[in-house]
PDB file of all heavy atoms in Angstrom:
ATOM      1  N   GLU W 129     -31.056 -16.499 -16.029  1.00  0.00           N
ATOM      2  CA  GLU W 129     -32.425 -16.686 -15.523  1.00  0.00           C
ATOM      3  C   GLU W 129     -32.425 -17.443 -14.200  1.00  0.00           C
ATOM      4  O   GLU W 129     -33.076 -17.057 -13.245  1.00  0.00           O
ATOM      5  CB  GLU W 129     -33.225 -17.463 -16.576  1.00  0.00           C
ATOM      6  CG  GLU W 129     -34.724 -17.252 -16.504  1.00  0.00           C
ATOM      7  CD  GLU W 129     -35.104 -15.774 -16.497  1.00  0.00           C
ATOM      8  OE1 GLU W 129     -34.651 -15.012 -17.386  1.00  0.00           O
ATOM      9  OE2 GLU W 129     -35.823 -15.398 -15.566  1.00  0.00           O
ATOM     10  N   SER W 130     -31.651 -18.539 -14.170  1.00  0.00           N
ATOM     11  CA  SER W 130     -31.572 -19.336 -12.938  1.00  0.00           C
ATOM     12  C   SER W 130     -30.131 -19.356 -12.423  1.00  0.00           C
ATOM     13  O   SER W 130     -29.199 -19.549 -13.203  1.00  0.00           O
ATOM     14  CB  SER W 130     -32.031 -20.763 -13.218  1.00  0.00           C
ATOM     15  OG  SER W 130     -31.650 -21.582 -12.130  1.00  0.00           O
ATOM     16  N   LEU W 131     -30.006 -19.177 -11.138  1.00  0.00           N
ATOM     17  CA  LEU W 131     -28.678 -19.255 -10.507  1.00  0.00           C
ATOM     18  C   LEU W 131     -28.565 -20.519  -9.659  1.00  0.00           C
ATOM     19  O   LEU W 131     -27.711 -20.609  -8.786  1.00  0.00           O
ATOM     20  CB  LEU W 131     -28.426 -18.015  -9.650  1.00  0.00           C
ATOM     21  CG  LEU W 131     -28.446 -16.686 -10.407  1.00  0.00           C
ATOM     22  CD1 LEU W 131     -28.200 -15.528  -9.440  1.00  0.00           C
ATOM     23  CD2 LEU W 131     -27.382 -16.685 -11.491  1.00  0.00           C
ATOM     24  N   SER W 132     -29.433 -21.465  -9.968  1.00  0.00           N
ATOM     25  CA  SER W 132     -29.454 -22.703  -9.199  1.00  0.00           C
ATOM     26  C   SER W 132     -28.077 -23.376  -9.219  1.00  0.00           C
ATOM     27  O   SER W 132     -27.495 -23.578 -10.277  1.00  0.00           O
ATOM     28  CB  SER W 132     -30.526 -23.606  -9.813  1.00  0.00           C
ATOM     29  OG  SER W 132     -30.526 -24.819  -9.173  1.00  0.00           O
ATOM     30  N   GLY W 133     -27.587 -23.687  -8.043  1.00  0.00           N
ATOM     31  CA  GLY W 133     -26.300 -24.380  -7.926  1.00  0.00           C
ATOM     32  C   GLY W 133     -25.096 -23.481  -8.137  1.00  0.00           C
ATOM     33  O   GLY W 133     -23.964 -23.971  -8.189  1.00  0.00           O
ATOM     34  N   ARG W 134     -25.316 -22.176  -8.239  1.00  0.00           N
ATOM     35  CA  ARG W 134     -24.189 -21.278  -8.552  1.00  0.00           C
ATOM     36  C   ARG W 134     -23.590 -20.651  -7.306  1.00  0.00           C
ATOM     37  O   ARG W 134     -24.307 -20.218  -6.404  1.00  0.00           O
ATOM     38  CB  ARG W 134     -24.641 -20.119  -9.474  1.00  0.00           C
ATOM     39  CG  ARG W 134     -25.292 -20.534 -10.759  1.00  0.00           C
ATOM     40  CD  ARG W 134     -24.332 -21.173 -11.724  1.00  0.00           C
ATOM     41  NE  ARG W 134     -23.379 -20.257 -12.331  1.00  0.00           N
ATOM     42  CZ  ARG W 134     -23.558 -19.710 -13.537  1.00  0.00           C
ATOM     43  NH1 ARG W 134     -24.630 -19.941 -14.238  1.00  0.00           N
ATOM     44  NH2 ARG W 134     -22.642 -18.921 -14.041  1.00  0.00           N
ATOM     45  N   GLN W 135     -22.283 -20.552  -7.289  1.00  0.00           N
ATOM     46  CA  GLN W 135     -21.573 -19.719  -6.320  1.00  0.00           C
ATOM     47  C   GLN W 135     -21.471 -18.340  -6.945  1.00  0.00           C
ATOM     48  O   GLN W 135     -21.008 -18.202  -8.088  1.00  0.00           O
ATOM     49  CB  GLN W 135     -20.160 -20.261  -6.078  1.00  0.00           C
ATOM     50  CG  GLN W 135     -20.110 -21.502  -5.208  1.00  0.00           C
ATOM     51  CD  GLN W 135     -18.680 -21.949  -4.982  1.00  0.00           C
ATOM     52  OE1 GLN W 135     -17.970 -22.298  -5.932  1.00  0.00           O
ATOM     53  NE2 GLN W 135     -18.255 -21.981  -3.737  1.00  0.00           N
ATOM     54  N   VAL W 136     -21.882 -17.323  -6.208  1.00  0.00           N
ATOM     55  CA  VAL W 136     -21.920 -15.975  -6.759  1.00  0.00           C
ATOM     56  C   VAL W 136     -21.003 -15.062  -5.939  1.00  0.00           C
ATOM     57  O   VAL W 136     -21.034 -15.081  -4.700  1.00  0.00           O
ATOM     58  CB  VAL W 136     -23.360 -15.409  -6.768  1.00  0.00           C
ATOM     59  CG1 VAL W 136     -23.392 -14.027  -7.394  1.00  0.00           C
ATOM     60  CG2 VAL W 136     -24.299 -16.351  -7.529  1.00  0.00           C
ATOM     61  N   TYR W 137     -20.209 -14.265  -6.639  1.00  0.00           N
ATOM     62  CA  TYR W 137     -19.316 -13.284  -6.006  1.00  0.00           C
ATOM     63  C   TYR W 137     -19.815 -11.885  -6.381  1.00  0.00           C
ATOM     64  O   TYR W 137     -19.805 -11.524  -7.556  1.00  0.00           O
ATOM     65  CB  TYR W 137     -17.868 -13.490  -6.472  1.00  0.00           C
ATOM     66  CG  TYR W 137     -17.345 -14.835  -6.039  1.00  0.00           C
ATOM     67  CD1 TYR W 137     -17.481 -15.959  -6.854  1.00  0.00           C
ATOM     68  CD2 TYR W 137     -16.768 -14.997  -4.780  1.00  0.00           C
ATOM     69  CE1 TYR W 137     -17.034 -17.204  -6.435  1.00  0.00           C
ATOM     70  CE2 TYR W 137     -16.330 -16.240  -4.352  1.00  0.00           C
ATOM     71  CZ  TYR W 137     -16.461 -17.333  -5.185  1.00  0.00           C
ATOM     72  OH  TYR W 137     -16.023 -18.575  -4.745  1.00  0.00           O
ATOM     73  N   VAL W 138     -20.291 -11.153  -5.370  1.00  0.00           N
ATOM     74  CA  VAL W 138     -20.814  -9.809  -5.594  1.00  0.00           C
ATOM     75  C   VAL W 138     -19.703  -8.807  -5.331  1.00  0.00           C
ATOM     76  O   VAL W 138     -19.018  -8.891  -4.298  1.00  0.00           O
ATOM     77  CB  VAL W 138     -21.985  -9.491  -4.627  1.00  0.00           C
ATOM     78  CG1 VAL W 138     -22.610  -8.144  -4.963  1.00  0.00           C
ATOM     79  CG2 VAL W 138     -23.028 -10.578  -4.681  1.00  0.00           C
ATOM     80  N   LEU W 139     -19.533  -7.859  -6.238  1.00  0.00           N
ATOM     81  CA  LEU W 139     -18.490  -6.837  -6.074  1.00  0.00           C
ATOM     82  C   LEU W 139     -19.155  -5.505  -5.768  1.00  0.00           C
ATOM     83  O   LEU W 139     -19.890  -4.966  -6.594  1.00  0.00           O
ATOM     84  CB  LEU W 139     -17.662  -6.721  -7.360  1.00  0.00           C
ATOM     85  CG  LEU W 139     -17.098  -8.027  -7.928  1.00  0.00           C
ATOM     86  CD1 LEU W 139     -16.335  -7.758  -9.217  1.00  0.00           C
ATOM     87  CD2 LEU W 139     -16.213  -8.737  -6.915  1.00  0.00           C
ATOM     88  N   ASP W 140     -18.897  -4.989  -4.582  1.00  0.00           N
ATOM     89  CA  ASP W 140     -19.471  -3.699  -4.183  1.00  0.00           C
ATOM     90  C   ASP W 140     -18.439  -3.048  -3.253  1.00  0.00           C
ATOM     91  O   ASP W 140     -18.205  -3.546  -2.150  1.00  0.00           O
ATOM     92  CB  ASP W 140     -20.798  -3.933  -3.455  1.00  0.00           C
ATOM     93  CG  ASP W 140     -21.587  -2.640  -3.292  1.00  0.00           C
ATOM     94  OD1 ASP W 140     -21.173  -1.604  -3.856  1.00  0.00           O
ATOM     95  OD2 ASP W 140     -22.624  -2.674  -2.604  1.00  0.00           O
ATOM     96  N   PRO W 141     -17.788  -1.971  -3.700  1.00  0.00           N
ATOM     97  CA  PRO W 141     -16.622  -1.504  -2.942  1.00  0.00           C
ATOM     98  C   PRO W 141     -16.917  -1.056  -1.519  1.00  0.00           C
ATOM     99  O   PRO W 141     -16.103  -1.282  -0.641  1.00  0.00           O
ATOM    100  CB  PRO W 141     -16.075  -0.341  -3.782  1.00  0.00           C
ATOM    101  CG  PRO W 141     -17.078  -0.051  -4.818  1.00  0.00           C
ATOM    102  CD  PRO W 141     -17.984  -1.230  -4.944  1.00  0.00           C
TER     103      PRO W 141
END
Side-chain angles (χ1 to χ4, degrees):
E129 204 52 52
S130 166
L131 299 179
S132 176
R134 304 290 288 263
Q135 284 182 298
V136 182
Y137 296 91
V138 186
L139 309 178
D140 193 7

